[in-house]
Amino acid sequence: MRYILALIVAVVLSSTVDAQLSINLGFNVDRQPIWGPTGYDHAENYYIPDIDVYYNVPQRMYYYQERGRWIGRSSLPSRYRGFDLYNAHKVVINERTPWRNHTTYRDKYASFKGQHDQQPIRDARDPKYYVNPKHPEHNNWVKQQKQSKGNSKGNGRGNK
């Protein structure tokens, strides 16, 4: 009996760990900023070649050089005031600390400077982006999800 109980606990714990890993490593459109580019179900970091800045999606932090050192802040420094994140090209880099390899990324993606060829999440009309709480269609999406769940809970006789 103890063996069966231990086996059940092990299965439940392993499935919980697997679920957490798949959430952390998989879909994170709901956490990406609405100025982020469409086309990516998962993004750890964006590199913005126009201003040599990284944005870390999970931490919601910008990383940029200040006096030769990389620092992280929740907003861009004043020198980038007025910079249009919606129209700037962003490169998705799924690496934990890409600024540590900055020379490589700067050289590799220098050709993207000045390009304005990406659709931001804010402007996406694909419903998969509506899960993002800051998307303009999010509230309508939430209402639709609630209606769908309400309709599927019926007993086949309609709502009364």
Side-chain angles (χ1 to χ4, degrees), residues 32 76 96 111 142 153 160:
Q32 294 177 38
L76 286 170
R96 188 175 289 222
S111 64
V142 169
K153 290 182 181 178
K160 291 188 178 188

Side-chain angles (χ1 to χ4, degrees), residues 14-28:
S14 70
S15 65
T16 302
V17 169
D18 288 344
Q20 288 174 348
L21 285 174
S22 67
I23 289 169
N24 291 338
L25 297 176
F27 189 80
N28 75 346

Side-chain angles (χ1 to χ4, degrees), residues 67-123:
R67 297 184 187 127
R69 295 183 62 199
W70 286 98
I71 61 167
R73 297 284 186 265
S74 59
S75 60
L76 286 170
S78 61
R79 68 180 176 257
Y80 300 125
R81 188 173 320 162
F83 182 77
D84 187 359
L85 289 166
Y86 289 92
N87 288 314
H89 190 90
K90 280 82 58 182
V91 179
V92 172
I93 301 175
N94 288 322
E95 180 181 317
R96 188 175 289 222
T97 54
W99 46 91
R100 291 187 178 177
N101 298 315
H102 177 62
T103 304
T104 301
Y105 291 122
R106 183 190 62 217
D107 294 347
K108 185 174 183 178
Y109 299 115
S111 64
F112 290 109
K113 280 186 178 185
Q115 288 192 16
H116 309 287
D117 57 351
Q118 293 174 315
Q119 179 185 43
I121 290 171
R122 174 196 65 190
D123 300 340

